[in-house]
Amino acid sequence: MLHTAFAASLGPQPGALADFASVAPLALLGVLYGGRARSLGHTPHPVPGWRQGSFYAGLGLIAVALLSPIGSLSDELLSAHMVEHLLMGDLAALLIVLGLTGPLLAPVLRIGFFDRLRVLANPLIALPLWAINLYVWHLPFLYQAALRHPGVHALEHAMFIACGVNMWMCLFGPLPMPRWFGNLAKLGYIIAVRLVGTVLGNVFLWSGTVFYPFYVHGDASHHISPLADQNVAGAIMMVEESILTLGLLCWLFLRAAREGEERQQLLDYARLHGVELSEARAARAVAAGRGAELRRRLETRAGASPRM
């Protein structure tokens, strides 16, 4: 008892310091994001409230994964560690990307180093980079090294989040994508992401070999066999991937329907008012989210007043 009191008097313990170190970058990102969002609130490009909420929800989800019982259980159960990684690398990364806008990122992209990193957001680079990162970190040597060394574990988490954000940026981010990356290419991208996750999930689900002996003692304390724990981890990954993929396919279908309707409205307006407009130009504007801007230009050219 005296020893505990004496230890407490010495200051923060290693666990508390590790927790602070893990959430401090999240707090800093939240402060920087909030400051930029407030400054844009007085410009023609404010950050919508739902995007701000999404960004903060992404940061909050990372904090939950690290600081909740999930974080402590991840050192004892592979299945808990899988939940932690999916929360951070898949869901939190997606929410963070949904919270971004072009004007919000403008000051960051003015920095040469970050501007050069934009090339990584190309779909042909982002998807392989995410897949390689996912598989490499699940190699037994690296995976167990992360469990034994906090610094390696922190790097693993940072890489999962960074590659996840970069992967989702191709679908939902504000950075311009290649012209060929339309809805059909996006469908192929979503399917490819699903296949990458499915292969790894099936390996965990059906393998009869224990990949990470590190969890043997933790599994025993929770009265589950290492192989069953590994199978549960694979099942969790499969279920999460399936639900997420279904949501993405629904989003893509609704997006394609909305773009088709908006494109046709632009063409009909141009035809009705005798303004030249090709289908290719209308499609490019709608795909880039500039359908309303093109409509205003058409109205100006037609001699009509811009709609309020």
Side-chain angles (χ1 to χ4, degrees):
M1 192 172 194
L2 290 174
H3 173 74
T4 303
F6 177 72
S9 69
L10 294 179
Q13 300 304 298
L17 291 175
D19 290 344
F20 174 78
S22 64
V23 299
L26 301 179
L28 178 60
L29 283 176
V31 170
L32 294 175
Y33 181 94
R36 178 60 179 166
R38 282 192 297 274
S39 67
L40 287 173
H42 307 290
T43 71
H45 306 288
V47 182
W50 72 268
R51 288 193 180 275
Q52 296 185 47
S54 177
F55 186 88
Y56 289 122
L59 297 184
L61 200 56
I62 296 173
V64 167
L66 294 173
L67 303 181
S68 72
I70 295 173
S72 57
L73 279 175
S74 68
D75 293 331
E76 303 173 13
L77 296 171
L78 174 58
S79 52
H81 209 166
M82 181 64 74
V83 171
E84 182 185 59
H85 285 175
L86 292 174
L87 288 176
M88 292 191 296
D90 268 4
L91 302 180
L94 173 58
L95 290 171
I96 288 172
V97 170
L98 290 175
L100 301 178
T101 66
L104 196 147
L105 288 178
V108 177
L109 296 178
R110 293 193 191 103
I111 301 173
F113 173 76
F114 292 108
D115 184 53
R116 286 190 289 272
L117 289 180
R118 292 174 60 175
V119 68
L120 299 179
N122 185 295
L124 295 179
I125 299 176
L127 178 57
L129 192 63
W130 172 78
I132 292 171
N133 180 73
L134 179 67
Y135 277 78
V136 166
W137 276 110
H138 280 93
L139 293 174
F141 170 74
L142 274 180
Y143 194 93
Q144 294 184 115
L147 291 170
R148 294 188 176 99
H149 305 287
V152 179
H153 205 174
L155 176 62
E156 178 192 44
H157 287 168
M159 291 294 293
F160 276 135
I161 296 169
C163 289
V165 166
N166 191 52
M167 182 267 291
W168 291 125
M169 191 72 76
C170 298
L171 291 175
F172 301 105
L175 299 180
M177 289 292 111
R179 185 170 296 179
W180 57 264
F181 196 61
N183 288 330
L184 186 59
K186 286 183 172 67
L187 175 61
Y189 189 89
I190 292 171
I191 293 174
V193 169
R194 173 75 177 108
L195 288 176
V196 169
T198 297
V199 171
L200 185 59
N202 271 286
V203 169
F204 285 125
L205 181 60
W206 301 112
S207 177
T209 302
V210 174
F211 298 131
Y212 311 122
F214 178 92
Y215 288 111
V216 169
H217 298 295
D219 290 330
S221 66
H222 290 277
H223 309 290
I224 183 174
S225 72
L227 192 57
D229 183 25
Q230 184 171 287
N231 296 157
V232 170
I236 290 172
M237 188 174 191
M238 294 286 290
V239 170
E240 187 267 353
E241 289 278 351
S242 297
I243 294 174
L244 190 56
T245 301
L246 180 61
L248 290 173
L249 292 177
C250 290
W251 162 80
L252 187 62
F253 174 79
L254 294 174
R255 172 191 170 95
R258 177 184 57 80
E259 288 184 353
E261 181 179 1
E262 186 177 8
R263 182 173 62 250
Q264 191 58 48
Q265 288 176 351
L266 289 170
L267 292 171
D268 290 343
Y269 182 90
R271 190 178 302 109
L272 181 64
H273 292 82
V275 179
E276 182 180 355
L277 177 65
S278 66
E279 291 193 16
R281 183 186 176 193
R284 287 197 301 271
V286 170
R290 297 180 176 177
E293 179 182 337
L294 178 57
R295 176 63 181 255
R296 289 192 294 270
R297 291 181 179 178
L298 293 176
E299 289 173 340
T300 300
R301 290 171 59 185
S305 301
R307 296 192 307 175
M308 301 300 291

